[in-house]
Amino acid sequence: MSGVLDLVRADLRDFAGYRSARTERVQGDVWLNANESARANAGDAEGAYRRYPDPQPEPLRERLAALYGVRAARVLAGRGSDEGIDLLVRALCVPGHGAIVITPPTFGMYAVCARLHGARVVEAPLVERGEGFQCDFTAVARKAEAENARLVFLCSPGNPTGASLPLESIAALACRLERQSVVVVDEAYQEFASTPSALTLLDRHPNLVVLRTLSKAHALAGVRLGVAIGNEALIEVLRRCQAPYPLPAPCIDAVMRATDAAVLEATRGGVAATIAERTRLAVALADAPGVRRVYPSDANFLLVRFDDADAAFATLLAAGVVVRDMRAQAALGDALRITVGTAAQNDRVLSALTGVAA
């Protein structure tokens, strides 16, 4: 048994899951095994969507594997990164007894999935030092060990901090917790970062899982396609815990088109434009009245502290600009998160904020 499988819930290690009609690898030209309609819907004249889709289409997995530079067997496609988070909690945490470690301020879905599953949420808060927020990896490891946590969720670049985590520290944590926890690195914003991906660590650390998404850099948030990438044995467990038909056929088609070589070239151009605008917006915001601090960011957003965040939020809304209010998160009582938009949209942000009194 692979060592990482020892971290999976004992009752799920040999769990076969539901075997749908599309799971069976059989051949034929008259398909009557899934109780699908024999006739196409009138609005789907070609019958493109009459049949259930393949749960994990090989062409899609191969395309995503090529995109991220990994083997297809390491890839599980799902309904956004959210499904990857949920599947990991479901597969590794015994309901009512398991625990996860998170590093607030961070993405809220880690705690939501854990609480819906009855798992404890253990916090090892980020520490604000120097230019931004940093992860206390020693504290994370100690809390994971003390609480017998099966999962550690790290967000890099962080949401909402925008800070990337050092790969050597991630690797050391995965090594220390090899028999204790699966370390999950959520790289939803990695395309906007200048630092290497944690995917480069997978060969050495079987208890490491990386989450990626096409929602941000690839502009496919509405398609809801995310990827969990990790040890083949663990990915197979997650696959057996997944819903029978997780990927709608139109979404599969959209991803295949969006990851074509020519489209990817345009995507890279869009990412470069966003990074340039991020720099411009950060410099301009730092000089805006009422702005206390703009944090460095490796993502497609900026975390900004204000002298009066309530006034800033209201002023932006009055100008028709909607940003994310972060004041409910610990240590961010004066902060807003501003997504980097187009040049014209960013100009509207700056124009509105010049009216916020210092």
Side-chain angles (χ1 to χ4, degrees), residues 74-121:
R74 286 184 165 177
V75 173
L76 180 76
R79 293 161 288 188
S81 297
D82 297 339
E83 185 175 26
I85 296 165
D86 183 68
L87 288 171
L88 284 160
V89 173
R90 199 184 310 173
L92 276 77
C93 294
V94 175
H97 298 282
I100 72 167
V101 177
I102 63 172
T103 59
T106 192
F107 184 44
M109 281 304 296
Y110 313 138
V112 167
C113 288
R115 287 178 176 134
L116 287 172
H117 194 68
R120 300 189 315 280
V121 178

Side-chain angles (χ1 to χ4, degrees), residues 1-2 4-18 85-95 117 150-151 232-242:
M1 178 181 288
S2 172
V4 73
L5 290 187
D6 292 337
L7 303 179
V8 173
R9 283 169 46 185
D11 58 319
L12 293 183
R13 290 171 193 164
D14 297 321
F15 177 60
Y18 176 74
I85 296 165
D86 183 68
L87 288 171
L88 284 160
V89 173
R90 199 184 310 173
L92 276 77
C93 294
V94 175
H117 194 68
R150 277 291 182 261
L151 285 163
E232 288 91 336
L234 180 57
I235 289 299
E236 183 56 35
V237 169
L238 299 182
R239 185 173 182 175
R240 295 198 298 265
C241 293
Q242 197 175 29

Side-chain angles (χ1 to χ4, degrees), residues 242-261:
Q242 197 175 29
Y245 302 108
L247 305 175
C251 297
I252 296 170
D253 295 341
V255 171
M256 294 300 289
R257 292 193 300 271
T259 52
D260 178 77

